[in-house]
Amino acid sequence: DTGVSQNPRHKITKRGQNVTFRCDPISEHNRLYWYRQTLGQGPEFLTYFQNEAQLEKSRLLSDRFSAERPKGSFSTLEIQRTEQGDSAMYLCASSLGTGTYRANVLTFGAGSRLTVL
Amino acid sequence: DQQVKQNSPSLSVQEGRISILNCDYTNSMFDYFLWYKKYPAEGPTFLISISSIKDKNEDGRFTVFLNKSAKHLSLHIVPSQPGDSAVYFCAPSYSGNTPLVFGKGTRLSVIA
């Protein structure tokens, strides 16, 4: 197992364009999370999935953001009509999700850095 | 509303000495606390955790202390090594099911 994989690692786009990020979690993990991190801040929760069900969304996740996890495997995070304020590191993480405290230990990917010009 | 506060953005320590990183929280529902370490260009990695039923948890050079009455926890690293230079995040949770809430982090620099 190679851990949590995220692609692309870096995306530069012009304002108004759509971008999509992909996350491949650890195979036996049934929970998958998306976080956003900006300079000088800790990771901020965006949304998470239990298998293919999206269980919670942060108010940070505007209507321009959509996340999917078809078949409970990989996940995509799409940002439509990007704005300069969307520039950030988008982190994906996965966990066992068995309901025990240990299940809340997240394994993060290296992140996808978005730069909106 | 900041539920987690790491009031020291940075900390510089000499190699071999003790590093103490602090974290304060406001939500008394938090009952499990994790520390993550982040190197540049990498995602955060889990370091150590503590349940609210304990006041101390030790793992090698790393020890986390929890003071529930003060809603305060601290991470001690002793002896500090240059490879410990990273950003450290405090991340509490409750019920074992909720997404982690992260502090802003403390950048630790260990000087050889």
Side-chain angles (χ1 to χ4, degrees):
Chain A
D1 196 341
T2 56
V4 178
S5 177
Q6 292 190 245
N7 288 289
R9 292 292 308 276
H10 197 173
K11 178 73 175 179
I12 301 173
T13 191
K14 292 182 179 179
R15 189 178 55 181
Q17 298 294 305
N18 299 342
V19 297
T20 299
F21 300 114
R22 175 179 170 128
C23 172
D24 289 273
I26 293 174
S27 56
E28 60 264 31
H29 286 181
N30 55 30
R31 284 198 183 172
L32 185 148
Y33 300 76
W34 287 99
Y35 282 80
R36 180 179 71 183
Q37 187 177 16
T38 53
L39 196 63
Q41 302 293 321
E44 297 173 293
F45 168 72
L46 293 178
T47 187
Y48 88 99
F49 295 83
Q50 173 91 17
N51 300 311
E52 66 273 13
Q54 189 172 16
L55 295 188
E56 189 173 338
K57 291 193 288 187
S58 162
R59 65 179 184 276
L60 293 175
L61 213 65
S62 75
D63 291 345
R64 296 184 297 105
F65 288 70
S66 63
E68 294 182 341
R69 193 183 182 196
K71 302 178 183 178
S73 56
F74 71 92
S75 175
T76 57
L77 177 68
E78 181 183 16
I79 309 173
Q80 296 182 325
R81 305 181 303 280
T82 53
E83 302 172 355
Q84 287 183 326
D86 297 330
S87 295
M89 176 74 82
Y90 290 86
L91 293 164
C92 176
S94 65
S95 73
L96 287 169
T98 59
T100 65
Y101 292 118
R102 183 70 190 178
N104 223 10
V105 174
L106 304 184
T107 301
F108 281 87
S112 293
R113 179 168 296 283
L114 173 64
T115 302
V116 182
L117 301 176
Chain B
D1 177 26
Q2 266 190 293
Q3 296 190 71
V4 186
K5 292 184 181 179
Q6 293 180 256
N7 291 321
S8 298
S10 63
L11 175 67
S12 186
V13 172
Q14 280 202 311
E15 182 179 6
R17 306 295 289 267
I18 186 170
S19 296
I20 300 176
L21 295 87
N22 294 303
C23 175
D24 296 292
Y25 61 96
T26 56
N27 191 338
S28 58
M29 297 289 288
F30 289 139
D31 59 3
Y32 193 62
F33 304 86
L34 300 91
W35 284 92
Y36 279 79
K37 177 171 72 173
K38 185 181 184 303
Y39 293 119
E42 295 182 12
T45 55
F46 170 71
L47 182 60
I48 191 170
S49 62
I50 188 168
S51 165
S52 61
I53 62 173
K54 296 185 176 181
D55 55 17
K56 175 182 175 181
N57 188 28
E58 193 171 351
D59 184 2
R61 297 185 297 112
F62 302 91
T63 303
V64 57
F65 295 92
L66 174 62
N67 182 334
K68 283 184 295 183
S69 61
K71 295 191 180 67
H72 176 84
L73 63 157
S74 61
L75 173 67
H76 293 210
I77 306 172
V78 56
S80 300
Q81 299 174 352
D84 297 329
S85 297
V87 179
Y88 290 79
F89 295 101
C90 169
S93 72
Y94 59 90
S95 81
N97 289 313
T98 55
L100 297 178
V101 177
F102 286 81
K104 291 187 177 183
T106 296
R107 181 178 300 278
L108 173 66
S109 299
V110 180
I111 304 163

